[in-house]
Amino acid sequence: MDDNAVLELPRVIEPISSHDKKNKENSFAFWSGLFVDELRKRNKCSSVFPSSMILSACFLIIFAIGYLRLFETQPVDKRSIETLDDIGSHMAILTRVINAIFLQNALINGSIFMNDVMADTFGVPNGSLFDSIDKVSVRRPINLIKTMDLLSNQSTTTVDEAMHKLNGRAMGNGSTVSFAEIEEFNSSKRHTQIRSIATSIKDMQRDLAELTSPKSSMTADEASSFLGALIYFSTSSLKQLKKIHGEVAAVGDSLYRLRLFLSEMECLKKSFKSLEPSVTLLGSWLNSSNNKATKTQLDAFNNLFSPINSVFSPSQVLIGLPNKSKDLEMLDKDFENNWLKEMLNKGSSLNELKVALLPICDISSELASVEEGWTKPKKMLYFEIVQQTLMTIRNVDKLYPKRLLKSFSRAKANFTQLDPADKFGASETDKLKNLINSTTALEDVKNDLSFLLNSIFTDLNESEANSYFSEHANLNDKDKVEQLRNSPLTNKYRQMFDSANVKIQELESKLDKFRDFHSAVLKFKPFVDGVIDVSTSIDSMIKAVANYVNVLKLFSPYTADQLKEIEQLGAILWLARDKLIKSLILDINLRKEIRLADGANRLKSFSSAREITFQLAFSQKTLALYQRPDLHQLINNFVNNGTKLAQKIETLSTIERQSIGSGWNNFFSISPLMVTLSSEIKTLTSNISNEKVDFKSFGNSLSILDKVKVPPLDFAMMFSTLDDLKSTDIGQSPEIVDTENCLQQLLDLQYAAIPRNSTLLITDAQVFFKQFFEKPSDSDSDRLWLWILLVIVTVIILFIIVFSFWGIKIHRRSSKNKCEKGDSKVNDEECRKNMPSEQKVKKEKEKEPQPPRTPGSAIGLQ
């Protein structure tokens, strides 16, 4: 093979190297280098075209890479479906993060201090409420609460039973003591009269027995005497017997009223004795010079423990962190949340933000130590204790307790002075009580007399006796006796006087005992006169005691748990105040850490973090309320109890309605709005479709809350009205307690009523996080330099292409001229391309086949 064979080798390999260029970059570099070397050996002028094409290819590759980098497209996000639970969970995460940013920015710019953070951890409007707390001021309310608990125990069963009797007297059922009937009754005289009447009855019984006897020997004169005796008995003796019965009954009634009054005196005496300890307790409180300061301290406690805070309070710096330290601790996991990564940094890491917020996350341990003694149940327990105490003070003040205590003390002194037991001794009192409680002799006489008058002689009347007398008085002697014997009235009278004779004999046997009893009662006249003196003023004494007991009944007892916790109140308040003082030092250290934190300075540009935190927190509380399974039942209970309560308020007196104000009057108009609210909440969609995860889609998800119209509810006014109602006649109504419980659980409705600005979330938050996580390679300046580089590369490529075509054209023209001149340095192939067809044929014929050569000569070995 001749030397031309060696030169043919690159042409054979070239297509292969061109193919490898597309698949393997290293192979392309090798063969293109070999190809260029061989071209240089053959003809230097032929290297223009391949070299220019290689350079053009390189610049095109650079151009393509820059173009793709500059105009790279974001992947299309898939549409996602979120439930209300998902939205609530995501909202809680985002709220925690933005609240942490707001908190750290506010601390570094001095708009809030750690004192404010601690105060919000305690759940109080501001830390200044602890300024008045010291060991003495805290101890006074605690002592007052203990005193009130002791006073609540004074209204015992014994006093209640005693007051029940005394209240009966106060209502007009009491007795009036009088000794006149007892003293005026002449037992000896009445004894003689009864015996005389007994003799008359005995004579009448004998005459009637004789008259009705078949063997009777009664004469007409005896019959006439009988008729006269009957008329006298029916007109005189019977009346006298009735009078004696009335006098004996009057003595019995006087003794009964005396016995009743002595019982009332005993009840009053027991009441004074039972209530004596309370006088000291109540007096020590009412007359204390520290009452005003104690009341002020209780009001401060009420503000400290109140669960009802204004939703617009600037003190709520942790509103997006409802669980305080626990929420701050959760931030560490939040930064690894895939949804949050996609939301804030298109799925990339949030480590930069995590590092920037490390100072604020590290205070979780400080907040945790504060929360130990300030749990929500404990705060509520302390709030209930303070509320009960303040309500008791208000109710007691309405009754002018100092005046009632003075009246009670004066009544007690008067009773002690007039009490006959102190003058005559307890033994005399006991004797009189025993005597008047043993009135058997009197009752026997009274009952026998009553039986004679109401059972035996009930049919004996004066008109009937006169008719009986007139019918037989004018008859002749023979007919008079006979007709009297056969008269129906004669048999009636006989039976009547037979019974009366038996009963009057029984009565005669009891007269001596009755006379002795009466004489014994008369001996106690001086003692009874003393009792009568008490009776003239006992009504005013009972009234004083009743008013005093009504004051004591206003003191409700505290539970065992309340009394146990109240002992720890001082230590908890003192610890809280100590934490607030130490927070000043913590504030200085924390600001220093924030300044040194990497990336913390870049957070300052998020100026709307506070507003967005509040909006997200309000939305979070609203959504959580709407998702409560018992919400609709709760609204229904609130409507029913509130309506019943409004109806009961209308039954109050004008003065009481004026004292509670007109805050509850418009409840009838609010009631249907609450029903509509419940219906609208039920219609909320459970699933929401979003194109992608970003602030715009998230804002659209939150917009569903705006579809629910919440009626305006003045919670502060309603709670105040309920407190005032507890002091009225309907204060013990179950509707008050039930309505108050419903209000407590519907408190988050005040957040739902606040309008939301979703534009702020979509624009400000989105712009901030985009700028915060923006990489330096993606900045506008870098993109500008990339544009400039692409323009330069494009110009170079165009120049190379133009230069290449120009070089090719010049090269072909030069080769043609040389071929025509027969220049041996010009390649035959090139010449054949440029020569006419006749010359090509001639040239081919000149190339005859050559005999085979040795292998060595084929490769051109020397």
Side-chain angles (χ1 to χ4, degrees):
M1 186 179 293
D2 57 10
D3 294 340
N4 289 334
V6 179
L7 297 177
E8 292 294 329
L9 182 60
R11 286 200 297 270
V12 175
I13 299 175
E14 182 180 358
I16 299 174
S17 64
S18 176
H19 175 75
D20 290 344
K21 174 179 176 294
K22 298 178 182 179
N23 298 286
K24 297 182 181 179
E25 187 175 342
N26 293 336
S27 193
F28 168 77
F30 171 78
W31 290 112
S32 60
L34 181 60
F35 177 67
V36 171
D37 291 339
E38 289 298 322
L39 285 177
R40 286 175 179 174
K41 292 179 181 179
R42 293 176 58 188
N43 197 342
K44 291 182 179 180
C45 66
S46 65
S47 64
V48 177
F49 175 72
S51 300
S52 62
M53 292 302 293
I54 291 171
L55 289 173
S56 298
C58 292
F59 280 113
L60 282 173
I61 292 172
I62 296 172
F63 179 82
I65 293 173
Y67 182 86
L68 292 174
R69 181 69 183 86
L70 187 62
F71 296 102
E72 63 180 351
T73 57
Q74 298 296 329
V76 178
D77 295 312
K78 296 180 180 180
R79 182 174 292 275
S80 62
I81 303 297
E82 285 188 318
T83 64
L84 290 181
D85 290 334
D86 294 333
I87 294 174
S89 176
H90 294 159
M91 186 159 33
I93 294 173
L94 186 60
T95 306
R96 286 194 289 267
V97 172
I98 298 181
N99 198 152
I101 296 174
F102 147 62
L103 187 60
Q104 184 159 300
N105 286 344
L107 284 168
I108 195 64
N109 64 29
S111 58
I112 66 170
F113 300 89
M114 276 304 296
N115 184 284
D116 302 311
V117 178
M118 292 295 184
D120 197 19
T121 305
F122 292 132
V124 301
N126 57 76
S128 62
L129 292 174
F130 289 92
D131 293 345
S132 61
I133 292 177
D134 55 59
K135 292 183 178 179
V136 175
S137 61
V138 170
R139 199 66 215 171
R140 286 171 184 162
I142 294 176
N143 291 337
L144 175 59
I145 291 171
K146 290 182 176 180
T147 299
M148 287 184 171
D149 184 65
L150 291 174
L151 286 170
S152 68
N153 295 326
Q154 296 303 309
S155 184
T156 60
T157 304
T158 304
V159 176
D160 288 339
E161 292 175 354
M163 288 310 302
H164 178 72
K165 295 181 179 180
L166 297 178
N167 288 334
R169 179 180 181 84
M171 290 185 293
N173 299 326
S175 59
T176 301
V177 181
S178 174
F179 201 71
E181 293 86 354
I182 301 174
E183 191 175 14
E184 291 173 358
F185 183 79
N186 191 332
S187 58
S188 298
K189 180 179 179 181
R190 300 310 179 196
H191 185 271
T192 302
Q193 290 175 343
I194 290 173
R195 291 188 181 279
S196 176
I197 294 172
T199 301
S200 299
I201 292 173
K202 186 177 182 179
D203 292 341
M204 294 290 294
Q205 187 265 342
R206 186 191 64 242
D207 291 343
L208 286 168
E210 180 66 25
L211 180 61
T212 55
S213 173
K215 298 179 180 180
S216 174
S217 60
M218 179 178 283
T219 62
D221 292 336
E222 291 175 341
S224 297
S225 298
F226 162 72
L227 288 173
L230 179 64
I231 293 299
Y232 179 81
F233 185 86
S234 65
T235 56
S236 180
S237 298
L238 195 60
K239 289 181 179 180
Q240 192 175 43
L241 195 63
K242 290 179 179 180
K243 183 178 180 180
I244 294 172
H245 175 264
E247 290 178 353
V248 172
V251 171
D253 183 62
S254 295
L255 291 175
Y256 170 78
R257 285 185 282 115
L258 177 60
R259 183 170 63 250
L260 182 61
F261 185 77
L262 289 175
S263 176
E264 291 172 349
M265 285 184 62
E266 185 65 24
C267 289
L268 189 59
K269 190 173 185 177
K270 286 182 179 180
S271 298
F272 280 127
K273 186 176 182 180
S274 298
L275 297 173
E276 187 174 354
S278 68
V279 175
T280 305
L281 291 171
L282 186 60
S284 64
W285 169 45
L286 295 178
N287 298 320
S288 174
S289 59
N290 298 318
N291 282 348
K292 186 175 181 180
T294 304
K295 174 67 166 52
T296 302
Q297 194 66 59
L298 283 169
D299 289 332
F301 288 174
N302 190 59
N303 292 329
L304 279 174
F305 302 123
S306 175
I308 309 167
N309 290 323
S310 171
V311 295
F312 304 105
S313 173
S315 64
Q316 293 180 293
V317 295
L318 301 176
I319 189 171
L321 305 167
N323 297 314
K324 311 304 189 251
S325 63
K326 293 181 180 178
D327 281 339
L328 281 176
E329 292 173 358
M330 288 181 65
L331 278 174
D332 190 53
K333 295 182 179 178
D334 290 340
F335 290 126
E336 301 301 325
N337 183 272
N338 291 330
W339 177 87
L340 187 65
K341 289 181 179 180
E342 188 68 29
M343 186 76 169
L344 303 186
N345 197 18
K346 300 178 181 179
S348 299
S349 172
L350 302 178
N351 284 340
E352 290 180 74
L353 183 61
K354 179 180 179 180
V355 172
L357 289 173
L358 275 178
I360 205 66
C361 293
D362 289 343
I363 68 171
S364 60
S365 59
E366 293 292 337
L367 300 187
S369 64
V370 171
E371 295 167 1
E372 290 177 1
W374 283 78
T375 61
K376 190 173 183 180
K378 273 195 175 184
K379 275 193 65 179
M380 199 64 202
L381 181 63
Y382 289 136
F383 180 70
E384 291 172 354
I385 295 172
V386 174
Q387 280 279 295
Q388 178 178 332
T389 306
L390 287 173
M391 185 179 68
T392 300
I393 293 174
R394 287 196 301 268
N395 293 339
V396 169
D397 286 344
K398 291 179 181 178
L399 298 180
Y400 304 100
K402 285 187 177 182
R403 186 179 66 186
L404 297 182
L405 178 60
K406 187 177 180 179
S407 298
F408 176 82
S409 299
R410 185 169 54 247
K412 182 176 181 298
N414 292 339
F415 179 83
T416 303
Q417 183 179 1
L418 296 175
D419 187 8
D422 292 344
K423 183 177 181 180
F424 295 96
S427 60
E428 290 296 310
T429 305
D430 293 338
K431 288 179 182 179
L432 178 60
K433 288 180 181 179
N434 293 333
L435 180 62
I436 61 178
N437 286 329
S438 302
T439 57
T440 305
L442 183 146
E443 294 298 325
D444 288 346
V445 171
K446 184 178 71 172
N447 291 336
D448 287 348
L449 288 171
S450 178
F451 187 83
L452 284 169
L453 292 171
N454 299 322
S455 298
I456 297 176
F457 294 125
T458 183
D459 293 334
L460 179 62
N461 55 70
E462 187 176 351
S463 59
E464 185 184 67
N466 288 331
S467 298
Y468 182 75
F469 177 81
S470 300
E471 182 180 353
H472 300 91
N474 297 324
L475 294 176
N476 54 42
D477 294 341
K478 184 178 179 180
D479 295 335
K480 182 182 294 185
V481 175
E482 188 64 24
Q483 288 189 15
L484 280 172
R485 181 183 295 115
N486 296 327
S487 174
L489 289 177
T490 302
N491 290 325
K492 172 186 174 181
Y493 290 148
R494 181 182 176 180
Q495 294 175 1
M496 184 182 295
F497 280 96
D498 283 346
S499 300
N501 187 46
V502 175
K503 180 58 65 177
I504 199 72
Q505 289 180 17
E506 293 178 4
L507 178 60
E508 282 186 290
S509 65
K510 299 173 182 178
L511 288 177
D512 291 337
K513 290 183 179 181
F514 172 65
R515 182 172 56 192
D516 295 339
F517 171 77
H518 181 256
S519 299
V521 171
L522 290 177
K523 293 178 181 179
F524 284 93
K525 183 179 183 303
F527 186 93
V528 175
D529 288 340
V531 172
I532 293 173
D533 291 338
V534 176
S535 68
T536 57
S537 56
I538 192 172
D539 290 335
S540 62
M541 295 179 187
I542 292 174
K543 185 177 180 180
V545 173
N547 290 336
Y548 182 76
V549 171
N550 289 335
V551 172
L552 293 181
K553 286 185 176 181
L554 295 176
F555 293 93
S556 302
Y558 297 89
T559 64
D561 288 339
Q562 288 176 329
L563 293 174
K564 180 180 178 181
E565 288 296 334
I566 204 66
E567 284 293 339
Q568 303 177 17
L569 178 60
I572 291 174
L573 289 173
W574 192 250
L575 179 63
R577 188 173 184 272
D578 186 56
K579 286 285 185 182
L580 285 170
I581 294 173
K582 291 181 179 179
S583 68
L584 298 176
I585 301 174
L586 180 63
D587 193 72
I588 297 172
N589 296 333
L590 182 59
R591 289 173 189 271
K592 186 182 297 183
E593 291 179 11
I594 294 175
R595 291 190 185 96
L596 296 175
D598 186 18
N601 194 50
R602 294 161 56 198
L603 298 176
K604 295 180 181 178
S605 61
F606 200 1
S607 58
S608 58
R610 179 185 182 277
E611 289 76 12
I612 294 177
T613 297
F614 271 75
Q615 287 200 27
L616 286 174
F618 293 166
S619 299
Q620 182 183 352
K621 291 177 181 292
T622 301
L623 183 59
L625 177 66
Y626 289 171
Q627 289 184 283
R628 282 188 59 162
D630 61 339
L631 176 63
H632 305 292
Q633 183 60 46
L634 192 61
I635 293 176
N636 186 54
N637 293 342
F638 174 66
V639 171
N640 292 337
N641 291 319
T643 302
K644 293 178 182 178
L645 187 59
Q647 293 170 347
K648 286 191 174 184
I649 290 175
E650 293 181 346
T651 65
L652 294 175
S653 64
T654 304
I655 296 176
E656 285 183 321
R657 286 201 304 270
Q658 290 175 350
S659 66
I660 65 172
S662 58
W664 212 263
N665 293 347
N666 62 343
F667 188 83
F668 291 111
S669 60
I670 293 177
S671 178
L673 297 178
M674 293 296 293
V675 175
T676 303
L677 170 67
S678 180
S679 301
E680 290 181 352
I681 293 174
K682 290 179 181 178
T683 61
L684 284 177
T685 179
S686 58
N687 295 318
I688 299 172
S689 175
N690 289 319
E691 294 182 359
K692 51 186 176 180
V693 177
D694 61 3
F695 281 94
K696 182 178 180 180
S697 299
F698 189 68
N700 292 336
S701 299
L702 296 185
S703 64
I704 64 169
L705 300 177
D706 298 329
K707 298 178 181 179
V708 179
K709 296 181 180 178
V710 181
L713 297 175
D714 191 341
F715 284 89
M717 178 276 298
M718 287 191 284
F719 277 114
S720 176
T721 302
L722 290 174
D723 283 340
D724 293 336
L725 283 173
K726 293 175 184 177
S727 305
T728 64
D729 291 342
I730 62 172
Q732 302 301 318
S733 299
E735 289 81 8
I736 294 179
V737 177
D738 294 339
T739 304
E740 192 170 33
N741 290 336
C742 291
L743 274 179
Q744 287 284 358
Q745 298 180 71
L746 291 173
L747 266 177
D748 284 350
L749 275 179
Q750 57 188 332
Y751 298 105
I754 300 173
R756 281 164 285 275
N757 183 4
S758 58
T759 305
L760 189 66
L761 175 67
I762 296 171
T763 57
D764 289 27
Q766 185 169 267
V767 169
F768 166 75
F769 286 110
K770 182 179 180 182
Q771 292 177 349
F772 183 87
F773 290 108
E774 194 170 42
K775 299 292 186 298
S777 60
D778 293 335
S779 64
D780 292 339
S781 61
D782 290 339
R783 295 178 70 86
L784 177 61
W785 282 108
L786 186 58
W787 271 107
I788 295 173
L789 179 60
L790 288 177
V791 170
I792 293 173
V793 171
T794 303
V795 171
I796 293 174
I797 291 174
L798 291 175
F799 175 77
I800 292 173
I801 292 173
V802 171
F803 176 77
S804 298
F805 279 104
W806 179 79
I808 293 171
K809 187 176 182 181
I810 296 300
H811 173 68
R812 286 180 177 177
R813 186 179 297 170
S814 176
S815 298
K816 182 178 181 182
N817 293 334
K818 290 180 180 181
C819 287
E820 291 176 353
K821 294 178 179 180
D823 191 345
S824 60
K825 294 181 179 180
V826 179
N827 190 292
D828 288 344
E829 186 66 28
E830 292 293 331
C831 289
R832 288 195 331 175
K833 289 180 181 179
N834 295 316
M835 69 176 55
S837 59
E838 296 84 357
Q839 295 180 358
K840 288 181 181 179
V841 173
K842 185 179 180 180
K843 192 73 174 178
E844 291 294 333
K845 289 181 177 180
E846 292 177 353
K847 287 187 176 181
E848 294 294 335
Q850 300 295 327
R853 292 186 178 184
T854 62
S857 64
I859 59 175
L861 294 175
Q862 300 293 326

